[in-house]
Amino acid sequence: MEPMPARAVPDADDEERVPLFGTWRAIYVAVLVTEVVMILGVALFQGVRW
Amino acid sequence: MTPLDWGVLVVYLVGIVAFGVWSGRGNTKIDDFFLAGREMRWWAVGLSVMATQISAITFVGTTGQAYTDGMRFLVVYFGLPVAMVILCVTLVPFFYRAGVFTAYQYLEQRFDSRTRTLTSLLFQLSRGLAVGVTLYAPSLVLSVILGWSEQATILLMGGSTIAYVMYGGNKSVIWTDVVQMAIIWFGIFLCFGVAIAQLPEGLGFDGALALAQAQGRLDTLDTSTSLSQPYTLWGGLIGGLFLMLSYFGCDQSQVQRYLAGATLGQSRLSLLFNAFLKVPMQFLILLTGVLVFVFYHFERPPMIWNEVDQARLEAQAPPDRLRAVQERFDAAHAAREAAALEYARGREAGASPEAYRAAEKDLLAARGEAVALLQEVKGDTGRYNDTNYIFPKYIVSQLPRGFAGLVIAVIFAAAMSTLAGEFNSLATATMVDFYKRFVRPDGGDRHELLVSRLMTVGWGGFACLIALEAGRLGSAIEVVNKFGSYFYGSILGVFALAVLTKRATAAGAFWGLFVGMASVALVSQLTTIHFLWYNVVGAVAVFVSGLLISALRRG
């Protein structure tokens, strides 16, 4: 078999428009921002005096 | 359980098998059977990925853990969103564009056939044994709760799952997962709502949280840098990241779900869907466990959660000792209830939680005496753990009529969705990585479909056998559970060598895998490092040694 390239080459799938977010980069950033917000939310939940 | 509860459970079981068979019709070749014709939408695949990941023991085990230990387990999922982004950028495009059936097939294209064979074999060995435990653990709990024999529960759960996966393959797996995940979500919200509604008048949600907080049940973020400490923030972020990369990137039971996506974009979206939802979902499950903990402040909990053990204690313990233990437990519970109410009412005026904490400690000590008496009766000296029975016991004894049957159906759904994905992926690995290479490379569509179905039945039957024998295997089950963690991270290291560098050679990947597994074995035997870090050790050891071996062999 042909050896695979060591890096993924962008193709038409990478250009596909992502629902709601527009681009793949935007959705990745949104995931990471959500992650930070979730951890801060958990910290707040734990830290606030109920 | 009332007749209505039983009715709900029967409707679920009959309905899910019928729906599984119906949704999986039309398979004519193994592309259909294993990859659902590569035509699934992201939301269906995303729900299937989620359903495969959440097993019954995740559902009943983590609520029980939240009851006894609080919400610290949540950090394990902190690595998941980042892992999903990394996988979408790295491994998923490679798998998708290579047009593979299994993750290990890609390793042959990148390295050589022996690396593929070894990694696929390791997957089948560990997953094949672990799937028996996946079946046994909830069957054991459900058999106690429903009053059935373990064998009946195992055969019902395993048999009904085999029936639809054998017929419909991955299409059945994904579509039943969608339904099962909807039932699971509904069940989670239902339990959460009922737990809040059952709190005593005047306490309120914030009062319940105040009580849980006073007992440390809301503590989630532990910033300790100790590698031996379980569930620290860093362990979750780094160890959890490697665990999730290994599970979602290199475990065929997950890879096969998203390979069924209609396009690369659909596969990526299915993972990102999980990146957004998994942490909130787990938060809700754990918080439900915490609310159940508060609920049992105002309702006397059983001394022993496992009904079979409780009955044994009542039947075999000396009556005077049992009465003394029960009276002590009841008194300690009443004292805790009073202390909790006093703290809840006075907390805004600055009341101290110390008396309440002391009452909780006293109740734990009273339960400890009951457990000691039970162990004496059983002649058992090991560590007693009935955490997995807490939530099911709460369901059947406290939920309104009809709801208990539904939540028991949720436990069945959580178990069956995981089993279905695992039976299907094990059959795929055996068929594609072994049978089609070493036995009959070109048997034609009809033959391959037939053999694939037989392999599904074979793996399902094997899981049932392991589950039926699990009670006798005892501590061997723990060994099986640990077995996978020895090379999970190491396999991730091989995939990292495949996609992150051009310098890695086949020899580097193959021998690096052994170095990784040996490193994890040494770390687990010689240190007290928590298991969450094993995948980091394995992946890094394989990556570094693989690069070194590649350089030496080339030089």
Side-chain angles (χ1 to χ4, degrees):
Chain A
M1 275 186 187
E2 287 293 308
M4 291 296 291
R7 288 192 187 284
V9 183
D11 65 12
D13 281 322
D14 290 301
E15 305 304 321
E16 190 181 342
R17 194 159 171 76
V18 183
L20 285 176
F21 296 89
T23 63
W24 288 110
R25 182 169 299 194
I27 194 171
Y28 295 153
V29 170
V31 167
L32 299 177
V33 169
T34 308
E35 159 91 331
V36 173
V37 170
M38 281 190 293
I39 294 174
L40 290 176
V42 170
L44 188 67
F45 180 76
Q46 174 183 325
V48 73
R49 191 175 153 79
W50 291 99
Chain B
M1 294 256 287
T2 64
L4 181 63
D5 292 313
W6 285 109
V8 170
L9 187 56
V10 170
V11 167
Y12 161 73
L13 284 169
V14 173
I16 203 70
V17 174
F19 177 71
V21 171
W22 177 79
S23 61
R25 67 200 186 284
N27 290 319
T28 55
K29 51 186 191 294
I30 59 167
D31 281 67
D32 302 327
F33 190 75
F34 288 138
L35 296 178
R38 300 182 204 253
E39 57 186 22
M40 304 303 287
R41 303 290 298 170
W42 64 268
W43 54 271
V45 178
L47 286 169
S48 183
V49 164
M50 193 181 275
T52 302
Q53 198 263 336
I54 181 169
S55 69
I57 284 301
T58 316
F59 190 59
V60 298
T62 52
T63 39
Q65 200 170 348
Y67 182 103
T68 56
D69 189 40
M71 299 186 59
R72 294 184 306 144
F73 188 69
L74 183 68
V75 297
V76 171
Y77 295 91
F78 280 176
L80 188 145
V82 181
M84 293 310 199
V85 170
I86 293 174
L87 290 174
C88 284
V89 175
T90 57
L91 284 178
V92 180
F94 280 113
F95 291 157
Y96 201 85
R97 288 168 190 155
V100 293
F101 281 84
T102 72
Y104 322 107
Q105 206 176 346
Y106 165 69
L107 291 178
E108 180 170 7
Q109 296 184 16
R110 173 65 179 86
F111 293 127
D112 61 3
S113 64
R114 63 181 181 163
T115 307
R116 171 186 178 181
T117 305
L118 179 62
T119 49
S120 181
L121 189 68
L122 288 174
F123 162 72
Q124 289 174 68
L125 256 177
S126 65
R127 187 53 70 194
L129 291 170
V131 73
V133 182
T134 308
L135 178 57
Y136 173 68
S139 298
L140 184 63
V141 174
L142 287 169
S143 67
V144 169
I145 295 297
L146 300 175
W148 295 353
S149 71
E150 277 172 36
Q151 288 85 348
T153 325
I154 288 168
L155 293 175
L156 177 68
M157 200 181 273
S160 50
T161 310
I162 293 169
Y164 68 78
V165 180
M166 176 206 66
Y167 178 76
N170 204 7
K171 239 187 281 182
S172 289
V173 174
I174 291 175
W175 285 118
T176 50
D177 281 355
V178 169
V179 174
Q180 283 164 330
M181 206 56 235
I183 296 172
I184 291 170
W185 269 107
F186 182 74
I188 291 169
F189 279 114
L190 178 73
C191 292
F192 187 73
V194 170
I196 290 177
Q198 286 182 330
L199 292 171
E201 219 169 291
L203 182 69
F205 184 54
D206 60 335
L209 292 181
L211 294 181
Q213 187 171 46
Q215 299 295 352
R217 295 298 195 280
L218 301 189
D219 294 351
T220 312
L221 306 181
D222 173 357
T223 52
S224 161
T225 51
S226 165
L227 298 181
S228 306
Q229 181 87 5
Y231 311 127
T232 63
L233 176 61
W234 315 116
L237 283 172
I238 302 168
L241 169 67
F242 277 72
L243 174 66
M244 298 303 170
L245 284 171
S246 306
Y247 178 58
F248 289 99
C250 314
D251 190 308
Q252 180 64 20
S253 64
Q254 282 296 353
V255 173
Q256 193 163 343
R257 304 284 81 73
Y258 56 78
L259 283 180
T263 63
L264 171 59
Q266 297 292 316
S267 298
R268 279 174 167 160
L269 282 174
S270 70
L271 291 181
L272 296 173
F273 172 74
N274 279 269
F276 282 115
L277 286 184
K278 190 63 201 171
V279 176
M281 178 185 185
Q282 205 58 45
F283 180 85
L284 209 56
I285 293 175
L286 286 163
L287 191 56
T288 304
V290 168
L291 290 175
V292 171
F293 165 72
V294 176
F295 169 79
Y296 276 113
H297 280 53
F298 308 101
E299 172 81 24
R300 191 177 68 77
M303 286 195 299
I304 304 292
W305 291 99
N306 182 330
E307 278 180 23
V308 171
D309 284 343
Q310 173 72 31
R312 189 167 177 182
L313 184 68
E314 286 165 9
Q316 294 179 14
D320 52 333
R321 284 185 64 194
L322 177 64
R323 199 177 317 113
V325 166
Q326 185 70 62
E327 282 172 5
R328 158 120 167 80
F329 183 82
D330 291 349
H333 174 257
R336 185 184 69 168
E337 181 178 349
L341 279 175
E342 197 177 328
Y343 172 66
R345 287 185 192 127
R347 74 185 196 281
E348 281 172 14
S352 162
E354 286 314 312
Y356 168 44
R357 285 183 185 144
E360 168 71 13
K361 266 190 193 158
D362 192 46
L363 182 64
L364 279 177
R367 180 179 130 86
E369 287 172 22
V371 169
L373 185 57
L374 172 68
Q375 295 286 74
E376 206 179 303
V377 165
K378 288 170 79 177
D380 191 348
T381 52
R383 190 173 157 266
Y384 184 75
N385 187 352
D386 59 352
T387 307
N388 287 344
Y389 293 87
I390 296 173
F391 195 58
K393 175 75 184 164
Y394 165 76
I395 291 166
V396 292
S397 60
Q398 304 298 336
L399 255 55
R401 191 181 293 181
F403 287 178
L406 185 71
V407 182
I408 294 293
V410 169
I411 299 175
F412 268 95
M416 289 166 70
S417 57
T418 305
L419 291 171
E422 293 180 348
F423 293 166
N424 185 242
S425 61
L426 283 162
T428 310
T430 313
M431 180 69 191
V432 176
D433 291 330
F434 286 85
Y435 187 85
K436 266 176 75 69
R437 287 166 71 207
F438 304 123
V439 181
R440 197 163 166 187
D442 193 14
D445 289 340
R446 273 176 68 108
H447 172 79
E448 287 178 355
L449 197 57
L450 176 69
V451 175
S452 301
R453 287 187 163 135
L454 289 175
M455 282 173 178
T456 307
V457 176
W459 277 114
F462 181 71
C464 290
L465 273 181
I466 294 277
L468 289 169
E469 289 298 314
R472 263 180 280 175
L473 293 173
S475 60
I477 287 298
E478 279 181 37
V479 175
V480 167
N481 272 336
K482 282 185 181 170
F483 186 57
S485 65
Y486 276 30
F487 51 78
Y488 229 45
S490 303
I491 294 180
L492 175 66
V494 174
F495 279 97
L497 283 172
V499 300
L500 296 181
T501 172
K502 283 180 177 172
R503 291 181 185 161
T505 62
F510 186 78
W511 295 112
L513 183 53
F514 287 100
V515 174
M517 290 189 285
S519 305
V520 176
L522 281 176
V523 166
S524 69
Q525 294 301 316
L526 303 178
T527 72
T528 56
I529 289 177
H530 189 248
F531 86 91
L532 257 182
W533 293 97
Y534 290 178
N535 295 303
V536 184
V537 172
V540 171
V542 171
F543 193 76
V544 173
S545 64
L547 280 180
L548 276 173
I549 294 166
S550 301
L552 289 172
R553 293 284 287 251
R554 247 200 322 265

